[in-house]
Amino acid sequence: MTKLYFLLSLFSVLFFFSQKKDSATLISEVRIDAYKKSTPFIVSTKSVSVVSENLLDQNIPERMLESVNQIPGARMEERSPASYRISVRGSTLRSPFGVRNIKVYLDDFILSDASGNTYFNLISPQLIDRMEVYKGPESGDYGAVTGGTVLLQTRSSDNLSADLAIGSYGAFSQSFDFSKQFGKHFLQVFQNYYQTDSYREQSQVQRKQLFIKDNFQYSEKALLKVMLIYSDLDYETPGGLTLEQMQANRKQARPATSTLPGAKEQEAGIRNKMLLTGLSHEFNFNSNFSHFILVQGSYVDFENPFITNFENRFEKNFALRTHFNYEKNWNKVSLAYRFGFEGGINDVLIKNYDNNKGIEGKLQNFDQIKYTSGFYFLSQKLNFNEKFFTDISISLNSNSYDWQRLYPDSKNGNIKFKNQWLPNFGITYLVGKGFSVRGKIGKGNSAPTNEEIRSSNQEFSLNLVPEYGWNKEIGIRKQFGNFVFIEGNYFDFRMNDAIVRRQNEAGQEYFINQGKTVQKGIEVLLESKNFSLKNDFFNNFKFRFSGSFYNFKFENYKQLNTDFSGNAITGVPKTTINSLLNFTFFKKLSVDYSHFYTSKIPLNDANSVWSEPSLVGNIQFRFPLDLDKLRLNLYLQIQNLYNTDYVLGFDVNAFGNRFYNPAPRRNFIFGVNVLF
């Protein structure tokens, strides 16, 4: 089957190179938003990937994994349903779950808290209309991260639709979206409900979400935006298995041992409720000078019955972002400046109890952390004669936290990390129409999050310090005629004081700074236009291939008397190759055929255990039906087409070699999207 697929792909590419090209917009003319700094993709100095409708259509109702994993340099992992990680160039080294070391924005608003943690699994995939993924440090406008930045965008055009889907393992999804322009207001109301029993024991999921926004253009010069999102996520966590346990029964939850109960017995899971609201305001003083300000707040109620304890977290968050913008255009030169500030406060109360089979028991520890972070930034964007482009930025970043143990004893303290100047310089030269070369150098810095400072072992890791490093990269973008686009990037990132995860005998995690890393890689993308074949049977065809080829190593890394220098970085595959073929038959039936190849992965720092490589295929059929004023878009998704035994998210450095979280075998989703 694998050989057949690659032969089909090669034949398709050669065959359709000879077909008549269509007249749609060039891929090189796609524009990126870059947080209100719109730029044509072909001349952007940044290493950025755009996830638009064609990729978002590949997602199942539960997650955004299928679209993210088509991006070179990005990888989304699922340890169990609703427990996700996003890795940008290997950034999941420190993320047992959730998203860390990556800044995430939703429209104007900030999803990441002040410490750098993001509950990405609270967002329904059907809410997102477009995504931009920036790879590597973007220390100017986005502050202190070393992994990358993700910009999520919701709908900006009129729409009235409903979606209903059912699938294997009791999956059920329902959503409703209403978006419309009312005079000076653009209003969107989105609602979603999702549930599944899932493939493994102890892995049920239920998610409810409501999203409301109002964009009020109250004058020609001013725009006021208001947003509210409420998410209620409840999911069980089956836990990691050893290789022997997985081979014996892939569906089982983590079993009990002679000293510890199992995940099912303890009703292990996470219940997370978040309310986030905010408003932003833009004002244009004139054609050259403008101002932007954002204020937001959120509350998180987080429960985590685990095998050894029952944890409650109550989080209060506040964030502010503001900047002044100046733009000036001359005959052959355009220049833009931005000066601003972004900061936030993350106040967390943590309570741990004994876990009596899913019920809070005897008190263990009460702690509180108040985390404060912020950065001032100055950026410049230059366009000379539509040929030479630069992005220059610098930010001054600060991070500190107050900690306090409230029970069983009382103690407190304050940690302030050294302020960091983070410069970033990028340059692009447009060699010819649809052909550009670029280079970039920048420094990244990422402080430990509140869940790394006070992790599930219930101890404060007061010696943790931010990881930091310099990233250098070069890239090329080339449009061949009007039908194929190619992009290639090479980067070299050297990180110091890398934050890595450890796990104790009870399965509780903790984090340490450990030496240096050397991360070198090549990322490639090959994408075609949508070819029109001018016949009634086989009407359209489009292809996309992406790949990441990494050489990531530890440097100066020792644990006691063991030297791990030169070992491959844990949890990062050396090679990932992804593809998507889109076909249209009978002018109605759309077929999306995708593949994801992942090479073997080191599962511990010693590199003594590696995963097996995997090739996973998916296929989707979509068919529209027009009924009076309604359009019904029917779809059938078959996940894991070849019934591959594989793991979609490993627990790296797990105690007792419990690395494995088996993914589902072949499964189905059938749904209908109704456009009114």
Side-chain angles (χ1 to χ4, degrees):
M1 182 63 75
T2 303
K3 293 180 180 179
L4 176 62
Y5 163 69
F6 283 114
L7 287 173
L8 174 63
S9 302
L10 179 61
F11 169 77
S12 301
V13 172
L14 294 175
F15 176 75
F16 288 105
F17 267 147
S18 65
Q19 303 308 301
K20 183 177 179 179
K21 55 195 177 186
D22 67 10
S23 58
T25 303
L26 293 171
I27 298 172
S28 58
E29 294 176 354
V30 170
R31 297 187 69 87
I32 60 171
D33 178 71
Y35 205 99
K36 305 181 185 299
K37 294 172 74 173
S38 181
T39 304
F41 177 80
I42 192 71
V43 299
S44 173
T45 66
K46 303 178 184 298
S47 183
V48 56
S49 293
V50 178
V51 180
S52 52
E53 182 180 8
N54 186 44
L55 292 184
L56 290 171
D57 282 343
Q58 309 311 310
N59 293 323
I60 60 175
E62 175 196 336
R63 63 197 188 194
M64 284 183 266
L65 184 146
E66 285 74 19
S67 58
V68 171
N69 286 0
Q70 287 287 348
I71 298 173
R75 175 176 164 83
M76 190 170 179
E77 300 176 343
E78 180 184 83
R79 297 168 64 243
S80 62
S83 180
Y84 311 121
R85 299 182 295 228
I86 295 181
S87 172
V88 178
R89 294 179 174 174
S91 60
T92 51
L93 181 64
R94 55 190 277 197
S95 299
F97 65 91
V99 176
R100 302 173 190 173
N101 198 20
I102 296 173
K103 195 74 171 287
V104 183
Y105 294 83
L106 177 65
D107 293 331
D108 290 353
F109 302 93
I110 309 166
L111 279 183
S112 303
D113 66 34
S115 78
N117 185 57
T118 307
Y119 295 119
F120 197 82
N121 54 359
L122 292 176
I123 303 300
S124 167
Q126 293 150 314
L127 174 63
I128 305 307
D129 193 55
R130 176 185 164 101
M131 183 189 314
E132 295 177 4
V133 179
Y134 295 81
K135 294 167 280 189
E138 289 290 344
S139 46
D141 289 343
Y142 306 122
V145 292
T146 55
T149 305
V150 176
L151 306 185
L152 304 174
Q153 297 175 356
T154 58
R155 191 174 296 278
S156 58
S157 59
D158 287 3
N159 179 68
L160 179 59
S161 65
D163 192 278
L164 189 68
I166 58 174
S168 303
Y169 315 119
F172 173 80
S173 175
Q174 170 272 323
S175 66
F176 172 80
D177 180 78
F178 172 78
S179 306
K180 189 170 179 60
Q181 188 76 43
F182 293 98
K184 296 181 179 181
H185 293 265
F186 179 78
L187 177 68
Q188 180 180 11
V189 179
F190 172 85
Q191 171 271 332
N192 172 254
Y193 175 82
Y194 175 79
Q195 71 174 35
T196 180
D197 295 332
S198 301
Y199 174 67
R200 295 178 62 192
E201 294 177 338
Q202 193 62 26
S203 58
Q204 291 183 350
V205 179
Q206 184 183 82
R207 180 181 60 220
K208 293 170 278 189
Q209 183 172 101
L210 176 66
F211 173 83
I212 302 172
K213 75 174 182 184
D214 180 15
N215 298 348
F216 180 27
Q217 186 86 49
Y218 66 89
S219 81
E220 292 183 357
K221 294 185 175 182
L223 175 63
L224 177 68
K225 297 182 180 180
V226 180
M227 184 274 290
L228 180 145
I229 185 169
Y230 173 75
S231 287
D232 183 348
L233 175 64
D234 185 346
Y235 65 98
E236 298 173 335
T237 53
L241 303 176
T242 66
L243 180 61
E244 294 75 15
Q245 290 167 346
M246 182 179 70
Q247 291 172 338
N249 180 4
R250 297 177 58 84
K251 292 187 176 183
Q252 68 175 312
R254 174 179 164 177
T257 68
S258 58
T259 57
L260 292 171
K264 189 174 182 179
E265 179 184 351
Q266 290 293 79
E267 298 186 15
I270 288 177
R271 297 185 282 272
N272 192 356
K273 299 177 182 179
M274 180 186 76
L275 176 66
L276 169 64
T277 187
L279 59 88
S280 68
H281 184 263
E282 298 176 59
F283 188 83
N284 297 305
F285 296 97
N286 53 48
S287 60
N288 303 117
F289 188 52
S290 64
H291 175 253
F292 171 83
I293 188 169
L294 154 75
V295 291
Q296 67 176 61
S298 68
Y299 178 76
V300 175
D301 185 336
F302 184 96
E303 289 186 359
N304 179 201
F306 184 60
I307 289 175
T308 57
N309 69 89
F310 192 119
E311 180 172 285
N312 285 326
R313 302 172 70 93
F314 307 96
E315 304 182 21
K316 294 178 288 186
N317 298 286
F318 173 79
L320 166 72
R321 181 179 174 94
T322 183
H323 50 77
F324 290 94
N325 311 288
Y326 179 78
E327 299 182 21
K328 183 69 175 178
N329 298 310
W330 293 274
N331 287 334
K332 293 186 177 182
V333 178
S334 65
L335 190 63
Y337 285 95
R338 175 177 288 180
F339 173 70
F341 170 80
E342 179 180 309
I345 298 173
N346 171 236
D347 193 346
V348 187
L349 175 64
I350 310 164
K351 298 181 177 181
N352 289 92
Y353 306 84
D354 290 345
N355 182 7
N356 297 331
K357 299 182 179 180
I359 300 174
E360 295 176 0
K362 181 182 177 182
L363 301 179
Q364 292 185 0
N365 287 291
F366 284 9
D367 296 313
Q368 188 159 15
I369 299 177
K370 186 174 183 179
Y371 200 111
T372 304
S373 67
F375 63 97
Y376 293 92
F377 59 94
L378 174 65
S379 63
Q380 177 201 67
K381 187 169 73 169
L382 172 69
N383 175 353
F384 181 74
N385 200 29
E386 297 295 333
K387 296 284 287 184
F388 182 75
F389 304 83
T390 66
D391 274 299
I392 304 172
S393 64
I394 190 168
S395 62
L396 176 61
N397 297 259
S398 64
N399 294 270
S400 64
Y401 64 92
D402 298 309
W403 63 274
Q404 185 176 10
R405 171 137 291 177
L406 304 172
Y407 180 86
D409 52 358
S410 179
K411 52 186 176 181
N412 60 76
N414 171 269
I415 300 292
K416 179 173 175 55
F417 301 120
K418 182 180 178 181
N419 290 349
Q420 292 284 330
W421 288 97
L422 303 179
N424 211 296
F425 176 75
I427 183 172
T428 296
Y429 181 70
L430 191 63
V431 179
K433 183 179 179 181
F435 180 26
S436 67
V437 293
R438 67 178 191 89
K440 186 181 175 196
I441 183 171
K443 184 181 180 183
N445 179 82
S446 181
T449 68
N450 60 50
E451 292 189 3
E452 292 165 333
I453 294 166
R454 202 279 194 182
S455 51
S456 62
N457 69 349
Q458 303 182 39
E459 299 293 336
F460 286 103
S461 299
L462 302 178
N463 294 322
L464 270 181
V465 298
E467 57 184 19
Y468 67 95
W470 283 89
N471 179 60
K472 294 168 284 187
E473 61 183 88
I474 55 174
I476 184 171
R477 297 175 176 131
K478 173 62 176 173
Q479 180 86 28
F480 289 93
N482 193 27
F483 49 92
V484 171
F485 174 74
I486 294 178
E487 180 182 23
N489 302 310
Y490 170 79
F491 67 91
D492 184 341
F493 183 40
R494 309 293 176 102
M495 189 158 63
N496 297 277
D497 292 329
I499 299 174
V500 296
R501 179 198 185 220
R502 292 284 178 271
Q503 199 177 57
N504 63 22
E505 182 177 358
Q508 298 170 323
E509 68 199 19
Y510 62 98
F511 297 85
I512 59 173
N513 293 103
Q514 199 68 66
K516 301 179 180 180
T517 64
V518 177
Q519 300 170 216
K520 300 178 182 180
I522 295 173
E523 298 160 351
V524 295
L525 171 66
L526 169 65
E527 186 174 23
S528 81
K529 294 301 300 288
N530 191 17
F531 294 98
S532 178
L533 306 183
K534 311 300 183 184
N535 69 73
D536 293 332
F537 170 67
F538 193 2
N539 316 120
N540 296 92
F541 174 76
K542 181 177 181 178
F543 63 83
R544 175 189 175 97
F545 298 93
S546 64
S548 303
F549 308 92
Y550 291 161
N551 183 20
F552 287 11
K553 301 288 186 182
F554 287 113
E555 189 176 89
N556 298 331
Y557 179 12
K558 293 184 178 180
Q559 287 188 38
L560 300 177
N561 296 321
T562 304
D563 190 350
F564 292 148
S565 300
N567 283 7
I569 290 182
T570 319
V572 181
K574 289 187 175 182
T575 304
T576 57
I577 301 174
N578 313 299
S579 68
L580 174 61
L581 306 179
N582 306 112
F583 307 91
T584 305
F585 299 93
F586 310 111
K587 298 182 180 179
K588 288 271 191 176
L589 177 63
S590 298
V591 181
D592 305 324
Y593 187 36
S594 58
H595 284 79
F596 305 89
Y597 170 77
T598 305
S599 66
K600 63 180 184 178
I601 300 172
L603 303 182
N604 57 13
D605 295 347
N607 287 185
S608 60
V609 182
W610 293 70
S611 72
E612 293 294 326
S614 64
L615 175 66
V616 178
N618 299 332
I619 194 166
Q620 177 177 215
F621 303 92
R622 292 179 284 130
F623 189 84
L625 286 176
D626 292 314
L627 303 174
D628 294 330
K629 296 182 179 180
L630 298 180
R631 165 161 281 198
L632 307 181
N633 293 308
L634 306 175
Y635 58 90
L636 172 65
Q637 296 172 309
I638 305 176
Q639 298 279 305
N640 194 1
L641 183 62
Y642 311 134
N643 216 23
T644 304
D645 288 340
Y646 75 110
V647 173
L648 198 49
F650 294 93
D651 288 346
V652 298
N653 289 319
F655 187 87
N657 291 343
R658 291 188 293 264
F659 304 117
Y660 303 92
N661 296 287
R665 289 178 170 164
R666 185 184 300 118
N667 60 97
F668 306 85
I669 294 286
F670 175 74
V672 57
N673 179 266
V674 184
L675 296 175
F676 298 93

